[in-house]
Amino acid sequence: MVTLPEIQHAAAVLKGGGVVAFPTETVYGLGADAANPAAIAKIYALKGRPSTHPVIVHLAGIEALDDWVLAIPSSAAQLAARFWPGPLTLIMRRASHVLDAVTGGQDTVAIRVPAHPVAQALLQAFGGGVAAPSANRFGRVSATTAAHVRAEFGAALDCLLDGGECAIGIESTIVDLSGEQPKLLRPGGVSLAALEAALGAEVGLPGEGAPRAPGMLKAHYAPGTPLMLVEPDLMPGLVRELLAQEKKLAVLSFSTARPPLPGPTWLAAASEPTGYAHALYANLRELDAAGAQIIIVERPPEQAQWLAVLDRLTRAAAGSRAAEAP
Ligand code: TXA
Ligand code: MG
């Protein structure tokens, strides 16, 4: 477990303009002082992320929100009361002092109050806003353990707080409250139905003209190995065919019944979305490390409760194709 001196050290690293990797209940974040442009530049350099992409500002509690936004819309107050601290990020018009390095030059800022006790302790000890993208290299699979973070960045980090496995396992839900109607920019830990219930209003889905968001890129969350999403009824035939071609496979299936052939790395996924999401990035990393030529993932059902998982898998498949392209 993380000790108080470790938290105090991490807060001092942030104050000194360093980078601290820390756990949240969604995924690990790569944090820097959100008021220090040089510190934020370090995150971008570590991730290899384009500098026009905005980052989320993490706060210890809603009390600090006033400092970061132009005004708090009533929809934000409603959602914050219901879901903060928790896996929800809200996009609002930014206060004038918020750095372009944080917002990517946009007039909005993304704010999240995480619930993880280590993240809370760090934010309270630091006292300010912590700009933190997910702790992975740009476009790659997010990190849900400290070992994943080490595998991404090794010794390049000033400080890494090990808070164990992230409970939720996929990134926060992002809702844009800067326009007329609340809009879902990224499905995640809080479902669309739960958002709409809390607001008593419909939440729009992202369409044309949505703000720039790398989490919304078609290619993202991608392993290095090509990844195919396959309909359940086509799985057995495809696996047999590829094995007959002597292809080395790594498979994420809902079934624990491996085909009666030697070879493939076979991981069984949880049959419900919460468990599936919790293990998703660790599973993708394990499949990627198997030295296979193809990763095959059995497609989860097209149902509302699978929205966030389907979103990540679709982008992982697209991202792995992009990696394959010359
Ligand atoms: O669960 C999470 O949200 C994690 C943990 C560490 O908090 N963070 C995370 O950060 O996923 P990141 O940078 O990997 O993804 C944040 C997404 C990006 O797609 C970014 O473009 C979008 O939020 N974003 C940030 N500020 C924005 C803004 N002002 N307008 C639109 N999108 C924004
Ligand atoms: Mg990310």
Side-chain angles (χ1 to χ4, degrees):
M1 248 353 273
V2 178
T3 61
L4 186 58
E6 284 176 291
I7 295 285
Q8 285 161 343
H9 169 69
V13 169
L14 289 176
K15 282 181 187 143
V19 172
V20 174
F22 65 98
T24 81
E25 68 277 27
T26 57
V27 298
Y28 274 72
L30 205 54
D33 179 354
N36 180 341
I40 297 166
K42 286 187 196 165
I43 306 179
Y44 281 97
L46 273 169
K47 274 188 71 100
R49 180 182 201 170
S51 61
T52 50
H53 284 172
V55 285
I56 299 172
V57 176
H58 297 71
L59 302 177
I62 193 171
E63 307 74 37
L65 185 56
D66 260 339
D67 299 342
W68 293 88
V69 303
L70 206 55
I72 302 176
S74 59
S75 53
Q78 279 172 307
L79 291 178
R82 173 72 185 79
F83 299 109
W84 278 356
L88 178 68
T89 298
L90 300 177
I91 292 180
M92 288 161 275
R93 303 278 306 282
R94 68 161 158 180
S96 56
H97 68 85
V98 181
L99 297 173
D100 281 342
V102 166
T103 68
Q106 305 185 68
D107 64 356
T108 54
V109 62
I111 308 281
R112 173 167 178 231
V113 175
H116 195 292
V118 173
Q120 271 292 327
L122 176 66
L123 289 165
Q124 277 165 30
F126 175 61
V130 172
S134 52
N136 54 278
R137 292 184 188 274
F138 180 60
R140 315 303 298 187
V141 179
S142 307
T144 53
T145 68
H148 294 164
V149 179
R150 251 179 243 114
E152 292 285 308
F153 301 108
L157 294 172
D158 298 316
C159 177
L160 164 58
L161 295 173
D162 185 346
E165 267 182 35
C166 300
I168 294 177
I170 56 173
E171 297 81 354
S172 60
T173 300
I174 303 181
V175 182
D176 183 359
L177 301 174
S178 67
E180 296 264 294
Q181 191 204 12
K183 257 195 187 169
L184 182 72
L185 291 193
R186 179 174 73 183
V190 174
S191 75
L192 186 62
L195 291 172
E196 293 186 333
L199 285 170
E202 216 175 299
V203 173
L205 295 171
E208 297 295 308
R212 261 173 316 180
M216 302 311 293
L217 290 180
K218 274 209 181 85
H220 206 109
Y221 313 111
T225 315
L227 183 151
M228 281 173 78
L229 258 180
V230 179
E231 298 299 332
D233 53 336
L234 300 178
M235 281 281 288
L238 181 73
V239 167
R240 242 178 281 122
E241 193 185 312
L242 288 169
L243 289 176
Q245 293 170 21
E246 302 196 344
K247 287 270 199 294
K248 196 154 185 271
L249 305 184
V251 181
L252 181 60
S253 168
F254 287 107
S255 164
T256 50
R258 303 168 59 108
L261 292 160
T265 298
W266 192 278
L267 298 182
S271 58
E272 41 69 46
T274 309
Y276 194 107
H278 172 74
L280 177 60
Y281 291 136
N283 281 341
L284 289 181
R285 281 168 183 272
E286 187 173 341
L287 295 167
D288 201 17
Q293 288 158 289
I294 308 176
I295 295 172
I296 294 180
V297 177
E298 183 169 356
R299 184 187 283 280
E302 289 286 335
Q303 294 165 357
Q305 70 266 33
W306 287 93
L307 190 65
V309 161
L310 280 168
D311 170 77
R312 302 309 189 274
L313 286 174
T314 309
R315 291 174 211 280
S320 71
R321 277 198 299 281
E324 233 183 323

